[in-house]
PDB file of all heavy atoms in Angstrom:
ATOM      1  N   ALA A 103       7.311  39.773 -28.479  1.00  0.00           N
ATOM      2  CA  ALA A 103       6.558  38.818 -27.660  1.00  0.00           C
ATOM      3  C   ALA A 103       5.529  39.601 -26.830  1.00  0.00           C
ATOM      4  O   ALA A 103       4.975  39.066 -25.874  1.00  0.00           O
ATOM      5  CB  ALA A 103       7.526  38.077 -26.717  1.00  0.00           C
ATOM      6  N   LYS A 105       2.268  41.075 -25.888  1.00  0.00           N
ATOM      7  CA  LYS A 105       0.823  40.980 -26.177  1.00  0.00           C
ATOM      8  C   LYS A 105       0.110  42.297 -25.933  1.00  0.00           C
ATOM      9  O   LYS A 105      -0.790  42.661 -26.678  1.00  0.00           O
ATOM     10  CB  LYS A 105       0.188  39.864 -25.349  1.00  0.00           C
ATOM     11  CG  LYS A 105       0.527  39.926 -23.843  1.00  0.00           C
ATOM     12  CD  LYS A 105       1.470  38.835 -23.456  1.00  0.00           C
ATOM     13  CE  LYS A 105       2.101  39.142 -22.107  1.00  0.00           C
ATOM     14  NZ  LYS A 105       2.781  38.012 -21.526  1.00  0.00           N
ATOM     15  N   ALA A 130       5.081  34.834 -30.247  1.00  0.00           N
ATOM     16  CA  ALA A 130       5.345  34.610 -28.819  1.00  0.00           C
ATOM     17  C   ALA A 130       4.406  35.399 -27.901  1.00  0.00           C
ATOM     18  O   ALA A 130       4.402  35.218 -26.696  1.00  0.00           O
ATOM     19  CB  ALA A 130       6.790  34.970 -28.488  1.00  0.00           C
ATOM     20  N   ALA A 131       3.600  36.301 -28.509  1.00  0.00           N
ATOM     21  CA  ALA A 131       2.711  37.119 -27.689  1.00  0.00           C
ATOM     22  C   ALA A 131       1.545  36.295 -27.128  1.00  0.00           C
ATOM     23  O   ALA A 131       0.946  36.687 -26.139  1.00  0.00           O
ATOM     24  CB  ALA A 131       2.181  38.297 -28.501  1.00  0.00           C
ATOM     25  N   VAL A 132       1.217  35.190 -27.765  1.00  0.00           N
ATOM     26  CA  VAL A 132       0.069  34.409 -27.311  1.00  0.00           C
ATOM     27  C   VAL A 132       0.488  32.965 -27.052  1.00  0.00           C
ATOM     28  O   VAL A 132       1.009  32.299 -27.965  1.00  0.00           O
ATOM     29  CB  VAL A 132      -1.075  34.437 -28.365  1.00  0.00           C
ATOM     30  CG1 VAL A 132      -2.288  33.650 -27.865  1.00  0.00           C
ATOM     31  CG2 VAL A 132      -1.477  35.860 -28.691  1.00  0.00           C
ATOM     32  N   ALA A 133       0.240  32.511 -25.843  1.00  0.00           N
ATOM     33  CA  ALA A 133       0.442  31.105 -25.472  1.00  0.00           C
ATOM     34  C   ALA A 133       1.896  30.628 -25.641  1.00  0.00           C
ATOM     35  O   ALA A 133       2.132  29.457 -25.978  1.00  0.00           O
ATOM     36  CB  ALA A 133      -0.525  30.203 -26.242  1.00  0.00           C
ATOM     37  N   GLY A 134       2.846  31.522 -25.370  1.00  0.00           N
ATOM     38  CA  GLY A 134       4.265  31.157 -25.311  1.00  0.00           C
ATOM     39  C   GLY A 134       4.745  30.322 -26.488  1.00  0.00           C
ATOM     40  O   GLY A 134       4.792  30.790 -27.626  1.00  0.00           O
ATOM     41  N   ILE A 158      -4.989  30.614 -21.498  1.00  0.00           N
ATOM     42  CA  ILE A 158      -3.902  31.360 -22.124  1.00  0.00           C
ATOM     43  C   ILE A 158      -3.150  32.225 -21.120  1.00  0.00           C
ATOM     44  O   ILE A 158      -2.458  33.150 -21.498  1.00  0.00           O
ATOM     45  CB  ILE A 158      -4.413  32.210 -23.338  1.00  0.00           C
ATOM     46  CG1 ILE A 158      -5.700  32.941 -22.977  1.00  0.00           C
ATOM     47  CG2 ILE A 158      -4.597  31.332 -24.547  1.00  0.00           C
ATOM     48  CD1 ILE A 158      -6.261  33.793 -24.121  1.00  0.00           C
ATOM     49  N   ASN A 159      -3.271  31.852 -19.841  1.00  0.00           N
ATOM     50  CA  ASN A 159      -2.388  32.477 -18.840  1.00  0.00           C
ATOM     51  C   ASN A 159      -1.870  31.379 -17.932  1.00  0.00           C
ATOM     52  O   ASN A 159      -2.654  30.763 -17.187  1.00  0.00           O
ATOM     53  CB  ASN A 159      -3.152  33.559 -18.050  1.00  0.00           C
ATOM     54  CG  ASN A 159      -2.220  34.208 -17.017  1.00  0.00           C
ATOM     55  OD1 ASN A 159      -2.139  33.771 -15.874  1.00  0.00           O
ATOM     56  ND2 ASN A 159      -1.508  35.240 -17.427  1.00  0.00           N
ATOM     57  N   GLY A 160      -0.582  31.142 -18.019  1.00  0.00           N
ATOM     58  CA  GLY A 160       0.036  30.054 -17.261  1.00  0.00           C
ATOM     59  C   GLY A 160      -0.034  30.264 -15.771  1.00  0.00           C
ATOM     60  O   GLY A 160      -0.244  29.334 -15.000  1.00  0.00           O
ATOM     61  N   THR A 161       0.160  31.515 -15.335  1.00  0.00           N
ATOM     62  CA  THR A 161       0.151  31.824 -13.907  1.00  0.00           C
ATOM     63  C   THR A 161      -1.181  31.481 -13.286  1.00  0.00           C
ATOM     64  O   THR A 161      -1.267  30.810 -12.247  1.00  0.00           O
ATOM     65  CB  THR A 161       0.483  33.327 -13.711  1.00  0.00           C
ATOM     66  OG1 THR A 161       1.744  33.571 -14.296  1.00  0.00           O
ATOM     67  CG2 THR A 161       0.533  33.695 -12.244  1.00  0.00           C
ATOM     68  N   GLY A 162      -2.256  31.922 -13.926  1.00  0.00           N
ATOM     69  CA  GLY A 162      -3.613  31.657 -13.414  1.00  0.00           C
ATOM     70  C   GLY A 162      -3.891  30.164 -13.391  1.00  0.00           C
ATOM     71  O   GLY A 162      -4.478  29.642 -12.437  1.00  0.00           O
ATOM     72  N   GLY A 187       9.214  33.062 -12.517  1.00  0.00           N
ATOM     73  CA  GLY A 187       9.328  33.930 -13.696  1.00  0.00           C
ATOM     74  C   GLY A 187       8.151  33.786 -14.663  1.00  0.00           C
ATOM     75  O   GLY A 187       8.235  34.226 -15.816  1.00  0.00           O
ATOM     76  N   TYR A 188       7.029  33.205 -14.212  1.00  0.00           N
ATOM     77  CA  TYR A 188       5.870  33.074 -15.106  1.00  0.00           C
ATOM     78  C   TYR A 188       4.994  34.327 -15.109  1.00  0.00           C
ATOM     79  O   TYR A 188       4.398  34.673 -16.109  1.00  0.00           O
ATOM     80  CB  TYR A 188       4.966  31.891 -14.655  1.00  0.00           C
ATOM     81  CG  TYR A 188       5.616  30.551 -14.600  1.00  0.00           C
ATOM     82  CD1 TYR A 188       5.274  29.620 -13.637  1.00  0.00           C
ATOM     83  CD2 TYR A 188       6.562  30.182 -15.573  1.00  0.00           C
ATOM     84  CE1 TYR A 188       5.864  28.371 -13.587  1.00  0.00           C
ATOM     85  CE2 TYR A 188       7.164  28.944 -15.540  1.00  0.00           C
ATOM     86  CZ  TYR A 188       6.815  28.033 -14.535  1.00  0.00           C
ATOM     87  OH  TYR A 188       7.395  26.812 -14.490  1.00  0.00           O
ATOM     88  N   ALA A 189       4.912  34.958 -13.923  1.00  0.00           N
ATOM     89  CA  ALA A 189       3.949  36.048 -13.768  1.00  0.00           C
ATOM     90  C   ALA A 189       4.424  37.323 -14.459  1.00  0.00           C
ATOM     91  O   ALA A 189       5.619  37.521 -14.669  1.00  0.00           O
ATOM     92  CB  ALA A 189       3.728  36.306 -12.279  1.00  0.00           C
ATOM     93  N   GLU A 190       3.471  38.177 -14.804  1.00  0.00           N
ATOM     94  CA  GLU A 190       3.769  39.476 -15.376  1.00  0.00           C
ATOM     95  C   GLU A 190       4.441  40.357 -14.321  1.00  0.00           C
ATOM     96  O   GLU A 190       4.299  40.108 -13.110  1.00  0.00           O
ATOM     97  CB  GLU A 190       2.485  40.161 -15.833  1.00  0.00           C
ATOM     98  CG  GLU A 190       1.789  39.458 -16.977  1.00  0.00           C
ATOM     99  CD  GLU A 190       2.674  39.306 -18.200  1.00  0.00           C
ATOM    100  OE1 GLU A 190       3.104  40.313 -18.753  1.00  0.00           O
ATOM    101  OE2 GLU A 190       2.976  38.159 -18.572  1.00  0.00           O
ATOM    102  N   ALA A 191       5.110  41.438 -14.785  1.00  0.00           N
ATOM    103  CA  ALA A 191       5.732  42.382 -13.866  1.00  0.00           C
ATOM    104  C   ALA A 191       4.694  42.844 -12.845  1.00  0.00           C
ATOM    105  O   ALA A 191       4.964  42.952 -11.647  1.00  0.00           O
ATOM    106  CB  ALA A 191       6.290  43.567 -14.639  1.00  0.00           C
ATOM    107  N   ASP A 196      -2.149  38.991 -14.546  1.00  0.00           N
ATOM    108  CA  ASP A 196      -2.409  37.546 -14.653  1.00  0.00           C
ATOM    109  C   ASP A 196      -3.719  37.177 -13.994  1.00  0.00           C
ATOM    110  O   ASP A 196      -4.580  36.566 -14.592  1.00  0.00           O
ATOM    111  CB  ASP A 196      -1.272  36.740 -13.998  1.00  0.00           C
ATOM    112  CG  ASP A 196       0.062  36.944 -14.689  1.00  0.00           C
ATOM    113  OD1 ASP A 196       0.160  36.526 -15.845  1.00  0.00           O
ATOM    114  OD2 ASP A 196       0.994  37.531 -14.090  1.00  0.00           O
ATOM    115  N   ASP A 201      -3.919  39.974 -18.853  1.00  0.00           N
ATOM    116  CA  ASP A 201      -2.940  39.322 -19.761  1.00  0.00           C
ATOM    117  C   ASP A 201      -3.675  38.398 -20.738  1.00  0.00           C
ATOM    118  O   ASP A 201      -3.440  38.439 -21.944  1.00  0.00           O
ATOM    119  CB  ASP A 201      -1.919  38.551 -18.890  1.00  0.00           C
ATOM    120  CG  ASP A 201      -0.943  37.746 -19.714  1.00  0.00           C
ATOM    121  OD1 ASP A 201      -0.022  38.342 -20.273  1.00  0.00           O
ATOM    122  OD2 ASP A 201      -1.135  36.513 -19.838  1.00  0.00           O
ATOM    123  N   LYS A 205      -4.209  38.581 -24.964  1.00  0.00           N
ATOM    124  CA  LYS A 205      -3.965  37.454 -25.899  1.00  0.00           C
ATOM    125  C   LYS A 205      -5.240  37.104 -26.654  1.00  0.00           C
ATOM    126  O   LYS A 205      -5.217  36.837 -27.874  1.00  0.00           O
ATOM    127  CB  LYS A 205      -3.461  36.237 -25.098  1.00  0.00           C
ATOM    128  CG  LYS A 205      -2.087  36.487 -24.461  1.00  0.00           C
ATOM    129  CD  LYS A 205      -1.769  35.433 -23.413  1.00  0.00           C
ATOM    130  CE  LYS A 205      -0.407  35.630 -22.780  1.00  0.00           C
ATOM    131  NZ  LYS A 205      -0.183  34.826 -21.587  1.00  0.00           N
ATOM    132  N   VAL A 280       1.412  25.325 -15.472  1.00  0.00           N
ATOM    133  CA  VAL A 280       1.676  26.530 -16.269  1.00  0.00           C
ATOM    134  C   VAL A 280       1.373  26.301 -17.753  1.00  0.00           C
ATOM    135  O   VAL A 280       1.513  27.197 -18.586  1.00  0.00           O
ATOM    136  CB  VAL A 280       3.144  26.997 -16.007  1.00  0.00           C
ATOM    137  CG1 VAL A 280       4.120  26.103 -16.762  1.00  0.00           C
ATOM    138  CG2 VAL A 280       3.348  28.429 -16.344  1.00  0.00           C
ATOM    139  N   ASN A 282      -0.579  25.847 -21.276  1.00  0.00           N
ATOM    140  CA  ASN A 282      -1.684  26.527 -21.943  1.00  0.00           C
ATOM    141  C   ASN A 282      -2.294  25.581 -22.967  1.00  0.00           C
ATOM    142  O   ASN A 282      -1.656  24.602 -23.396  1.00  0.00           O
ATOM    143  CB  ASN A 282      -1.162  27.741 -22.732  1.00  0.00           C
ATOM    144  CG  ASN A 282      -0.844  28.973 -21.893  1.00  0.00           C
ATOM    145  OD1 ASN A 282      -0.704  30.058 -22.420  1.00  0.00           O
ATOM    146  ND2 ASN A 282      -0.720  28.800 -20.593  1.00  0.00           N
ATOM    147  N   GLY A 300       3.042  27.727 -21.988  1.00  0.00           N
ATOM    148  CA  GLY A 300       2.597  29.078 -22.328  1.00  0.00           C
ATOM    149  C   GLY A 300       3.525  30.161 -21.819  1.00  0.00           C
ATOM    150  O   GLY A 300       3.277  31.342 -22.049  1.00  0.00           O
ATOM    151  N   ALA A 301       4.568  29.785 -21.112  1.00  0.00           N
ATOM    152  CA  ALA A 301       5.495  30.779 -20.577  1.00  0.00           C
ATOM    153  C   ALA A 301       6.833  30.120 -20.318  1.00  0.00           C
ATOM    154  O   ALA A 301       6.966  28.906 -20.507  1.00  0.00           O
ATOM    155  CB  ALA A 301       4.934  31.369 -19.283  1.00  0.00           C
ATOM    156  N   GLY A 302       7.809  30.934 -19.918  1.00  0.00           N
ATOM    157  CA  GLY A 302       9.144  30.367 -19.627  1.00  0.00           C
ATOM    158  C   GLY A 302      10.142  30.759 -20.704  1.00  0.00           C
ATOM    159  O   GLY A 302       9.753  31.136 -21.828  1.00  0.00           O
ATOM    160  N   THR A 306       9.107  30.306 -24.825  1.00  0.00           N
ATOM    161  CA  THR A 306       8.776  31.593 -25.492  1.00  0.00           C
ATOM    162  C   THR A 306       9.819  31.883 -26.583  1.00  0.00           C
ATOM    163  O   THR A 306       9.457  32.363 -27.660  1.00  0.00           O
ATOM    164  CB  THR A 306       8.679  32.722 -24.461  1.00  0.00           C
ATOM    165  OG1 THR A 306       7.868  32.275 -23.353  1.00  0.00           O
ATOM    166  CG2 THR A 306       8.088  33.979 -25.049  1.00  0.00           C
TER     167      THR A 306
HETATM  168  N1  HSE B   1       2.380  35.955 -17.377  1.00  0.00           N
HETATM  169  C1  HSE B   1       2.143  35.184 -18.550  1.00  0.00           C
HETATM  170  C2  HSE B   1       1.517  33.860 -18.133  1.00  0.00           C
HETATM  171  C3  HSE B   1       3.456  34.954 -19.264  1.00  0.00           C
HETATM  172  O1  HSE B   1       1.532  33.520 -16.944  1.00  0.00           O
HETATM  173  O2  HSE B   1       1.008  33.141 -18.987  1.00  0.00           O
HETATM  174  C4  HSE B   1       3.292  34.469 -20.651  1.00  0.00           C
HETATM  175  O3  HSE B   1       2.568  35.362 -21.450  1.00  0.00           O
END
Side-chain angles (χ1 to χ4, degrees):
K105 50 252 163 166
V132 182
I158 45 180
N159 181 269
T161 302
Y188 301 145
E190 295 302 299
D196 296 294
D201 175 77
K205 295 166 179 167
V280 76
N282 283 196
T306 311

